[in-house]
Structures are given as structure tokens and as C-alpha cells.
Amino acid sequence: MSASTEENKRKRTVASKLSDPNNKGLSALPSHKAAQEAAERDAQDKEKAERAARLGATDNRESQLASSSVTTTTTTGRTLPSTTRTRHGSASIEEVEDEDWPSDTSSVAPPPKKKQKKAPKKKKSKTKSTATSAATNETAPATSRLEKATAGISESESESEEEVTAARENKTRDVDEFFGEAIWVGPVGKKKLKRPCFLCPGKDKTIVADVTTLRRHLEFAHEGKYNRWCTKNNYESKLPRAVKARKEAVEIAEGRQGTLDDAVEENPKVIPYTNSLFEEAAEDWLIETGQPLDALSHPRFRYMVDVASRATNGVKIPEKRQTRAHIIARFKKNMTELRKRLNSDAVKGKVSMTCDAWQASNRDAYFAVTGHWVEEDKKGQWSLQSALLGFTQMNTAHNGVRLGRGLYRIVKRVGIAHKVGAVTCDNASNNTTMLEHFESLINATRVSGNAQPWKYRDNHIRCLAHIINLATQALISTYSKSPHHDPSSEPSVNEGIAADAALARDEVGLLRCIGVKMRSSAKRSALFKELQTKDGIKIPRMLLIDMKVRWSSTHAMLLRGYELRKYVDRFVLEMAMEEPNADKQKKILDLRLSETEWDRVRDFLSLLKIAETAQQAFSSETEPTLYNGLPALERLHKSWSSRADRPKYAAFKPALEAAYEKIATYYSKTDMVDAYTMSMILDPSSKTNHFQKHWGQDLELEVRRDAERVFKLRWMDMYGNTMPPPLTTSASNSRLDDVLSDDEDDSTTTSTQPAATVDKPWLPEFNAYMDGSDVRPEGQSMVAWWVLHANRLPVWASLARDYLAIMASSVSSERAFSAAGITISKRRNRLKKDIVEALQILKSLLHKDIIFREPPFTSTWEIENEDVVDDDGDSTWVDEVEDDDYDSDDVWSSPVVL
């Protein structure tokens, strides 16, 4: 059978690629087929001409050799493999027509071998006749060379494929060694492909199934075990740090072995320092990173630049991962030092706390706990200190049991379970459950026989700022029924709110709607500013919009509107004039407030001002505030209740009644806690004066008996059954000394101190303070007064350490949330919980100036430590470790999780 006949028997059955107009294979579409056949004919003609010119005189000989090879293959029954590789992909031999091989193989040489991507393997066949054998023998040399070449290519390519597969498996061998098979993990709709880590405790930690991410986890958590495995198995480390080090080593080696041109290449010219150059560089950093304009004036920035200016050989800027690791290390070190500080002799009193929950802009919830204590320095001076003890992410339900467990873990982490004082939190019901569970956990750790159990009923301080907030919200919501502005609502909804406010003539709602309209477009905002600049105001102000959760924002909105009422009226009029629709124009004009309505805004502001003044009485965290708590609530209740019956405030009477009834509800819950009255008694300028004036004699005696009971318990804790030391003399006299009888001489010296009796040995010191005429100078803090009288009144001073540190509100936790809102921004909304807590606590310690810093290695340090003996590597050296049942590595290995 001739080669041409064999060629004619071939059939093309190519899969259609109709969607690709540039398809090189045949297509089922006639238009595609005709165009492609014409292109192929042109290509064949062109290639024939190129071959003829290139091969020249040897063309006939190679053509005969190819023809005889084809004939021999056909005669002996040899067949090509069933599949081959083409530029169109893998296809059957019947599916692919040799475009470079014409039907007449006797006159045209085969295409060059280099155009074949993969040579097919040749199969041997048996001969059936002598003629066939003779024909085969004639072409044996050519066929043998062809088979040898084909076999060599096939074997080399097979070995190459096996090597590639083995190399690929070798590249991920380390990952497969330490991680299991990939599994889908996560909630429905958010599942991710992850692999479990064999080395993590419990083997339940899964990491995203990405080779780089998996190796980063090994480097961060199991680098030692990974390196030992690599050494044992003679495997080159693929950890990012090791790969980077090898790359740098290669670059250094290549740089040393470079050409002479590289060696003599001039270094880039270093521009000398100038003030203008530094200002430009600092401004570029400020602009590029989006910093505020005063960032360059920040003390910490100036300090950083000052430290960098001391460098003599350049400054090494740490990279991201190194910075993160160093911050975490500093956090652990500072928390360890804070634990030592709270348990040192400088902090002899209890540590009170505040706590609250908060949701960040990225929807992550956090639980903040702050600590407050009275600290005595080396000079004997007292100061009220505070710090953020915990800022943990809440991953589960925010019920009271989980919050109580989280609070206990934070307390245990800083080692103050034996000296916890009062806890200040808001009035949510789950906070009561939190303290109940916290009580059961903390009392289980107090194994000492002399330790008094911690009772939450005696130590739950209800946030007074939250009480005022609830009362003021009741005042606002009862008077104004207009809903707050929702930026996500449709404009038609806000238009309906404005219409309702105008119809009800609700001054609060009207000012809110005017503010929304003013801020709805840049044109209206510019109009409102222009009205002010025309009157000569250099810095025009904008109207404010309140928010539902903060009553103070409503006060600020009304105050700004009342101060700019002249421009508010003009703005409404100008806005209405620009409206072409008559109905809409009328609705806008209805928003204008009359003189009577502006008067009601003024009266309502006066009622809110009373609440603001009361709240300011306990908003500090650097001075004692609890002693102002009850008097502030009483003044607020009296001010609102007295105004409810005045004709001037008749329009606000229902709102005032709802507000002061809310105060009365929470005021009655303070009766169970001695801290409120004890903190007032510890004010030497007041003592029991407030009770005598406002509570009456009977209640004053009751407060005195409660104070004596608390004093007795503290005296017993300090002295037990032994007699106390005699009281030292002081310029402070008893009130009885001021009232002399007629037959007594002024020069007569009489002991006014009650004698200590066997059954009441604590009484002398108790009466010495309660009946003394002590005065606290104006401007002197209560903490500073008590440090001066601690020797004269030791038991009272011990009580002062405990009660003066109690916060009247959880404002310190709120401040922690405000600082966290700056950290967790839109640009940094994927921060992990460990770095968030580290950043917030370090920020708090920096702000309070109680952050721990390593002492500089100076000659002074050498003098102070000249008697310290070093081990010098001696294996018999034993370090003395204070046994306090505390392992810092275990405590700070992971953040608290709720």
C-alpha cells in the first residue's frame, strides 16, 4: 500500500472550537474551514520554497530516504502511537493531519526534526515474507537510527517528567510533614480551605492552605522543631527568613565576585543634611501616610528624631514583622513589671477596677478593664495611679458568665486576686451576673484563713455617669418624639421626619432636620458659612447632628443651634427661596422656629446643663471622685423635681418627672454599698457634714455606726488582739475642745482623746478623726492630705488607700475605647487581637508614664551593681528565683479570650 493511499485513509475529527475565531485547527463552520485551508496552503507553499533553497543538492537524497522509511513502516506493519502532542494540544493520530507532510512523500522531504515537540515511539513488527524482509534490510540503517533517536527522546522525556514530579513533591515535603490534608473550615458561605497543624497543642489549629502562609506559621510557632527536622532529613529550610538569608548571601557573593566595572562604579551622591531637606522629607512622610498636620510636633516624634540623630553609622529601620514581634515582647515585659508593681510594698491598698464592653468599626467586640490604686513612692508621697489591665476581644456571646470569666482571667493575669477592691460598671443586667460569677471564681482562690471573702454586693459601684445618661435620655425622649437621623435611610424618609417635626412643632426635631439639610450638600454648607462671613465672622461654624446613644450630643446640637439662631433662620429662608416647587417651599418654611420656640430651646438647654454639671463632678480619673457621687445625684434630682412644678417649665413637666424618677430608682440601689458614704467621710473638709445638713440626725448616726463597723474590721486586720500604739499629738483638736465651760480656764490642758477600752480598742483613733476639726487647704487633693496624716491616723489612712481609688464612673474604660477607635481604623481593620491589646495597653502605660524601660548601661549602673557576681558560664551556678507561683512565659503566651 502506497504512502499516498495511507494518507488518504486518514480522517480528521477535531473537536470544535467555535467560540475562538483565531482557531488554528479545522472547524465545523464552513467559513472558518475555507479561510483556514487557504492559509494552510499558503504556508505549505512558502515552506516548500524555503526547504528547497536551504537543502539544495541534498534534497533528492533525503526525500528518497524519507520515502523508503515510510514504505518500510507501512510494509512491516509498524504504526505510530495512538496519541501525539501538537500545538493544538493532545489529539488522536486520526484527528491530526500532517500539515508539513504532503500526500506525495516521495518528492518532499520531511520537516526538520526541531519542529516536533515529542517524537512518537516506534513499535517492532514481525515480517511475513522474504521480500518484505529484504526490503526491511535495505532500509535497516535508517530505521535503526530513527528508532534509536526516538527511543532516546522518549526515555529522556520520561525521566524528565519523573524528575519534575519528584522536585515538586520535594518542594512541599516540609509542609506535608507538619500539616494534615486540606479541609474546609468556617461558617456557611465563608468557608476557607485550611490544613491542621500537627505541632500545635490539641492539634485543632488550622491554617490557610497556602504554602507561604503555612511556612510563616512554622517560622513563628515551631521554628526550632522545623530546623531540627531539616537537619535530620538533610532538607534545605524553606522558611521565609532562611530563604531571605540565602538570597542575601548570594547577592553579597556575586557582588564580591563582580567585574571591575562594578567595583569602580561611583556610589550615589549623598545629599548633605539641611533643615529644608529634613522639612521636605518629614512633610512627604506626613502627606503620604495621611498623618495630621500636628504629627511633626508630637513629643514622641521629636524624641524619635532626637534618638536617630545620635546614630554615627546610619539608622536601621525595623521591618513590619520585626516591629510586631518587638511590640508583643514589650507588652509581655511591661505586663510582667506591672504585676510586680501591683504586688510590691508601694501598693499596700486594694486595686479597684472599671470595666465595659465596646464594638469597633470593624464589628469586633472588646472588653476593657482598667485598674486604679494609691501608690507610695520612695519619698513617701502618695499618688493615684491607673492603667489598662486588659483589652480582650470577645469571640462569643456577651453573657454575664463569660464576662465574669474574662474579668477573672485578667485579674489573675496581673496577680491581684487577693487585693481586688470595688468594680465600677454600668447598670446592664448582665453586669450583675458577671460580678456574681466573678465572686465565685475569686473566692475559690482565697485559701488563706485570714482573707475576707469578696462580695459583689458590697463592691458593685454603679456607674454614675451611666445613671445620669439614663435619666437624661428619659428627659429627652419624653419631651421630643422625633426620631434621630439615620444616614442610611432614603431621602424620602428624612423628608417625612422633617414634616412630622414641623407639624408637632418639636424644637429638638426641627433643629435636627435643619442640621441634616444643611449638611446634605456642599452648596448648602457653603451657603450657611457665607451667611456668617457676611457678618464679619472669621471662622464660621456648622450646625451639629446628635446621636441616639449620647445625650451630650443632643445638648451640643441645641447649644450650637441656639447660638447661631439668627443664621439658622436666614438659612431656612434662603433655602426655601431656591426651591421652585411651591409645596416643597412651604415645607421648608415650616421648619423655621418662632421666638417662643427659641425660648423653649433655651429653657431645655438649662435643664440639660444641670445634668452636664453633675456629670463633670466625677469625670476625672487622676483624683478621687466617688465622694462627689451621692451629692451630685441629689442635686440633680432636687433641681429637676423643683422645676417640674414651676409654670416656666410646664411644657417639660412629664419629661422632668420621668427623669428624676429614673434617678430615684438607681439612687436607692446605693444603700447596700458602704463605699459611697465612706469616701465622703474620708474628705477631711466634709466628713459627716453633708449627712447632718441633708439627711437628718437619725441617718447621720446610722452612717456613723456603719463607718465604725468598717473601721473596726480594718483595725482587727491590722492589729488583731494586740493593743494599738498610742496616738501621736497633732494640731488637730476635737470639736469638744472648742466648747469650753464657764468655770474652765483656757490655760487648762485636758486630754480630749477617749481612753481605749478592752472591748473597744479601736475607738480612740476613730473618734480622733470623726470629731476632729481637720481642714483640707484649698487646692490640696485628698490623697495628698492623707499622706501627711498617715502616721497620726494609720487605720484611717489604710482605709483611704482603698476607698480613694474607687472610680465613680467607668469613664476610664470609655477613654480606652476612644483610643482604640484611632488604632482600629479603616486602614487597619484586620489587626489581630493580640497586637490590638498590646498596642492599647502600651499606649495607656505611655500616657500614664508608668511604662517599663530597660536601664541604660552606664558607669552609674556599674557602681550600683559592682557586688553582683556573674556565673561566667559555670554549670554549678544556681539562680535564686522568688517562688510566687508565677510563670511569666505561661501567663503571657497568649491573650485572654472571652
Side-chain angles (χ1 to χ4, degrees):
M1 185 181 294
S2 64
S4 60
T5 306
E6 184 69 21
E7 292 291 339
N8 292 332
K9 288 185 177 181
R10 294 181 180 178
K11 299 179 181 180
R12 184 185 304 275
T13 55
V14 181
S16 65
K17 299 181 180 180
L18 302 180
S19 59
D20 186 6
N22 298 318
N23 179 23
K24 297 297 183 180
L26 293 181
S27 173
L29 291 180
S31 57
H32 283 196
K33 185 174 181 180
Q36 289 169 357
E37 288 179 350
E40 289 173 357
R41 284 194 297 270
D42 295 340
Q44 289 176 359
D45 295 340
K46 183 178 180 181
E47 193 164 352
K48 289 178 183 178
E50 290 177 354
R51 283 203 194 99
R54 185 170 60 252
L55 297 179
T58 61
D59 187 33
N60 292 332
R61 179 173 172 276
E62 291 182 357
S63 176
Q64 293 173 1
L65 177 61
S67 178
S68 63
S69 299
V70 173
T71 305
T72 302
T73 303
T74 306
T75 306
T76 57
R78 290 192 178 100
T79 58
L80 293 174
S82 60
T83 59
T84 185
R85 296 287 297 180
T86 70
R87 63 169 175 254
H88 308 300
S90 298
S92 170
I93 193 64
E94 295 182 351
E95 296 174 347
V96 181
E97 181 178 0
D98 293 332
E99 299 174 359
D100 297 331
W101 287 67
S103 58
D104 186 8
T105 57
S106 61
S107 60
V108 182
K113 186 176 180 180
K114 64 180 181 179
K115 290 184 178 285
Q116 292 182 347
K117 291 189 177 180
K118 183 176 180 182
K121 295 181 180 180
K122 298 296 181 180
K123 296 182 180 180
K124 296 181 179 181
S125 62
K126 297 181 180 180
T127 58
K128 295 182 180 179
S129 62
T130 305
T132 305
S133 177
T136 304
N137 292 333
E138 292 178 0
T139 58
T143 305
S144 177
R145 287 193 297 270
L146 180 62
E147 289 179 350
K148 288 181 180 180
T150 305
I153 294 174
S154 301
E155 291 175 2
S156 62
E157 289 188 354
S158 177
E159 292 175 358
S160 176
E161 290 179 358
E162 292 177 357
E163 290 176 359
V164 169
T165 304
R168 288 177 180 174
E169 292 177 353
N170 188 54
K171 286 183 178 179
T172 59
R173 179 184 171 192
D174 56 339
V175 175
D176 298 334
E177 178 72 22
F178 297 105
F179 295 94
E181 294 296 329
I183 56 176
W184 290 99
V185 179
V188 179
K190 296 184 179 180
K191 289 184 178 294
K192 292 184 178 180
L193 201 60
K194 296 187 177 183
R195 300 181 68 173
C197 177
F198 295 149
L199 300 179
C200 288
K203 297 183 179 180
D204 57 351
K205 185 176 182 64
T206 56
I207 312 297
V208 176
D210 177 75
V211 175
T212 303
T213 304
L214 295 173
R215 284 176 176 151
R216 285 177 180 171
H217 171 74
L218 291 174
E219 182 179 71
F220 179 77
H222 315 293
E223 185 175 9
K225 295 181 180 179
Y226 179 89
N227 291 334
R228 287 193 293 272
W229 178 86
C230 290
T231 303
K232 181 179 179 181
N233 294 273
N234 195 23
Y235 187 83
E236 188 178 52
S237 174
K238 297 293 192 301
L239 298 184
R241 223 175 358 243
V243 173
K244 182 179 180 182
R246 289 197 298 269
K247 183 178 179 181
E248 291 177 351
V250 171
E251 292 176 353
I252 293 174
E254 290 178 352
R256 291 177 180 176
Q257 299 174 4
T259 61
L260 183 63
D261 294 337
D262 295 334
V264 300
E265 183 179 356
E266 294 184 1
N267 293 327
K269 185 177 180 181
V270 178
I271 304 176
Y273 172 84
T274 61
N275 289 335
S276 59
L277 179 63
F278 176 76
E279 289 177 2
E280 182 179 353
E283 291 168 359
D284 291 346
W285 168 79
L286 183 145
I287 297 170
E288 180 70 19
T289 58
Q291 300 294 328
L293 294 178
D294 60 347
L296 302 179
S297 302
H298 196 280
R300 297 292 174 185
F301 180 83
R302 292 177 175 271
Y303 175 72
M304 177 186 67
V305 175
D306 179 63
V307 171
S309 66
R310 305 170 196 169
T312 58
N313 193 25
V315 178
K316 181 180 179 182
I317 306 297
E319 48 94 18
K320 173 185 174 182
R321 294 178 63 84
Q322 182 182 358
T323 302
R324 188 187 192 281
H326 192 255
I327 289 175
I328 295 295
R330 286 188 68 186
F331 160 70
K332 295 178 180 179
K333 179 65 176 177
N334 276 274
M335 292 304 290
T336 302
E337 294 298 324
L338 180 60
R339 178 188 175 108
K340 295 178 181 178
R341 184 173 191 161
L342 294 177
N343 289 277
S344 65
D345 293 336
V347 184
K348 298 178 180 179
K350 295 180 179 180
V351 179
S352 296
M353 298 181 294
T354 72
C355 59
D356 202 357
W358 170 73
Q359 188 178 59
S361 58
N362 62 351
R363 302 302 180 186
D364 288 341
Y366 290 90
F367 181 63
V369 179
T370 63
H372 305 264
W373 66 92
V374 174
E375 184 171 336
E376 183 178 359
D377 61 16
K378 296 180 180 179
K379 298 180 181 180
Q381 298 297 318
W382 289 10
S383 61
L384 184 60
Q385 298 286 353
S386 63
L388 183 62
L389 304 182
F391 196 86
T392 63
Q393 185 176 347
M394 297 186 292
N395 295 331
T396 55
H398 309 165
N399 56 55
V401 175
R402 295 185 183 275
L403 291 176
R405 189 183 306 142
L407 179 61
Y408 172 72
R409 288 176 178 173
I410 292 173
V411 167
K412 183 180 178 181
R413 190 172 67 173
V414 292
I416 58 172
H418 61 289
K419 58 192 313 181
V420 173
V423 180
T424 304
C425 52
D426 60 33
N427 300 275
S429 58
N430 62 341
N431 283 337
T432 303
T433 308
M434 173 189 72
L435 294 179
E436 288 178 354
H437 189 68
F438 177 72
E439 175 185 311
S440 63
L441 294 174
I442 199 172
N443 287 333
T445 62
R446 296 191 172 191
V447 296
S448 175
N450 297 327
Q452 296 293 330
W454 191 87
K455 298 180 180 179
Y456 86 93
R457 294 184 183 275
D458 298 335
N459 294 282
H460 182 193
I461 305 299
R462 298 181 180 273
C463 177
L464 299 180
H466 187 246
I467 295 175
I468 293 179
N469 179 64
L470 295 175
T472 311
Q473 291 285 10
L475 175 70
I476 296 174
S477 60
T478 304
Y479 178 70
S480 174
K481 302 297 183 180
S482 298
H484 286 75
H485 170 62
D486 184 6
S488 61
S489 299
E490 295 293 334
S492 58
V493 176
N494 294 323
E495 291 292 340
I497 294 174
D500 294 340
L503 183 63
R505 304 314 298 171
D506 179 358
E507 299 88 9
V508 178
L510 290 173
L511 278 177
R512 184 182 297 130
C513 293
I514 295 173
V516 170
K517 287 187 174 296
M518 185 211 66
R519 291 177 174 270
S520 62
S521 68
K523 180 180 179 181
R524 290 177 174 176
S525 298
L527 173 61
F528 191 77
K529 291 180 180 180
E530 184 181 356
L531 293 174
Q532 300 176 63
T533 54
K534 287 182 179 180
D535 279 0
I537 298 178
K538 296 182 179 180
I539 304 178
R541 294 181 294 173
M542 305 290 287
L543 295 179
L544 304 176
I545 303 175
D546 63 342
M547 54 190 305
K548 187 176 183 179
V549 296
R550 295 187 180 275
W551 71 266
S552 56
S553 64
T554 304
H555 175 262
M557 179 189 72
L558 295 177
L559 181 61
R560 178 67 60 84
Y562 185 76
E563 292 174 347
L564 302 176
R565 58 188 180 277
K566 178 173 66 174
Y567 306 107
V568 171
D569 292 338
R570 292 181 184 175
F571 171 73
V572 175
L573 184 59
E574 292 286 344
M575 189 168 49
M577 295 290 292
E578 294 178 356
E579 179 58 52
N581 188 286
D583 293 337
K584 292 184 177 181
Q585 187 181 77
K586 182 180 182 304
K587 291 180 180 179
I588 294 175
L589 290 174
D590 289 341
L591 296 177
R592 295 185 66 187
L593 278 73
S594 63
E595 289 297 328
T596 303
E597 289 169 338
W598 279 119
D599 292 341
R600 282 203 294 269
V601 171
R602 179 196 59 204
D603 296 339
F604 196 57
L605 279 171
S606 66
L607 298 177
L608 297 178
K609 181 65 176 178
I610 300 172
E612 183 186 29
T613 304
Q615 186 168 272
Q616 293 299 325
F618 37 78
S619 61
S620 174
E621 59 178 323
T622 58
E623 294 293 336
T625 56
L626 188 60
Y627 74 99
N628 283 327
L630 293 183
L633 289 182
E634 292 170 0
R635 286 193 296 268
L636 180 59
H637 183 275
K638 183 178 181 180
S639 298
W640 279 350
S641 60
S642 62
R643 284 167 173 76
D645 296 329
R646 297 181 187 177
K648 179 180 179 181
Y649 300 97
F652 308 102
K653 183 175 181 178
L656 289 170
E657 290 176 349
Y660 67 70
E661 286 176 1
K662 184 72 71 174
I663 293 177
T665 300
Y666 287 101
Y667 181 86
S668 61
K669 296 181 180 181
T670 63
D671 296 341
M672 302 294 295
V673 184
D674 296 326
Y676 294 101
T677 55
M678 287 299 297
S679 61
M680 296 173 66
I681 292 174
L682 288 170
D683 183 3
S685 299
S686 170
K687 297 180 181 178
T688 60
N689 291 343
H690 180 83
F691 310 121
Q692 292 175 4
K693 183 177 180 180
H694 300 285
W695 290 24
Q697 185 177 5
D698 294 339
L699 290 178
E700 185 218 350
L701 293 176
E702 183 179 348
V703 169
R704 189 182 180 102
R705 285 193 296 269
D706 292 339
E708 184 177 350
R709 171 178 53 80
V710 174
F711 185 88
K712 173 186 174 182
L713 292 174
R714 180 56 56 89
W715 190 93
M716 295 294 292
D717 289 341
M718 294 177 63
Y719 302 112
N721 296 325
T722 61
M723 293 298 293
L727 298 177
T728 58
T729 58
S730 172
S732 175
N733 299 322
S734 171
R735 290 178 184 171
L736 299 178
D737 294 342
D738 297 334
V739 184
L740 298 176
S741 59
D742 295 337
D743 36 294
E744 280 183 323
D745 192 353
D746 292 346
S747 61
T748 303
T749 303
T750 306
S751 176
T752 60
Q753 301 291 350
T757 60
V758 178
D759 56 338
K760 293 184 178 182
W762 61 83
L763 201 57
E765 183 180 344
F766 178 78
N767 289 334
Y769 174 72
M770 293 293 289
D771 298 331
S773 56
D774 301 296
V775 177
R776 178 164 59 96
E778 185 178 356
Q780 185 183 46
S781 67
M782 292 172 59
V783 176
W785 189 92
W786 275 107
V787 70
L788 298 175
H789 298 81
N791 294 332
R792 180 173 67 90
L793 305 168
V795 180
W796 279 110
S798 176
L799 292 172
R801 286 191 182 96
D802 293 347
Y803 288 103
L804 297 184
I806 300 176
M807 294 290 103
S809 68
S810 57
V811 64
S812 54
S813 298
E814 294 287 345
R815 289 194 176 103
F817 296 147
S818 298
I822 300 175
T823 302
I824 309 173
S825 61
K826 291 182 179 180
R827 292 189 299 174
R828 302 197 299 178
N829 60 359
R830 297 181 64 186
L831 291 173
K832 302 298 183 182
K833 55 190 174 186
D834 57 343
I835 191 65
V836 169
E837 183 176 34
L839 289 172
Q840 294 313 117
I841 289 182
L842 290 177
K843 186 188 298 185
S844 170
L845 297 177
L846 281 169
H847 181 69
K848 307 294 182 184
D849 198 22
I850 58 175
I851 195 167
F852 173 79
R853 300 184 186 277
E854 294 288 350
F857 190 80
T858 61
S859 57
T860 305
W861 184 91
E862 294 176 351
I863 295 173
E864 293 176 352
N865 297 272
E866 60 183 357
D867 295 332
V868 178
V869 181
D870 195 4
D871 61 353
D872 293 328
D874 188 356
S875 59
T876 61
W877 181 276
V878 178
D879 293 332
E880 292 185 3
V881 180
E882 184 178 355
D883 185 14
D884 57 355
D885 297 329
Y886 167 63
D887 187 356
S888 61
D889 293 335
D890 293 337
V891 173
W892 306 117
S893 60
S894 60
V896 175
V897 179
L898 301 186

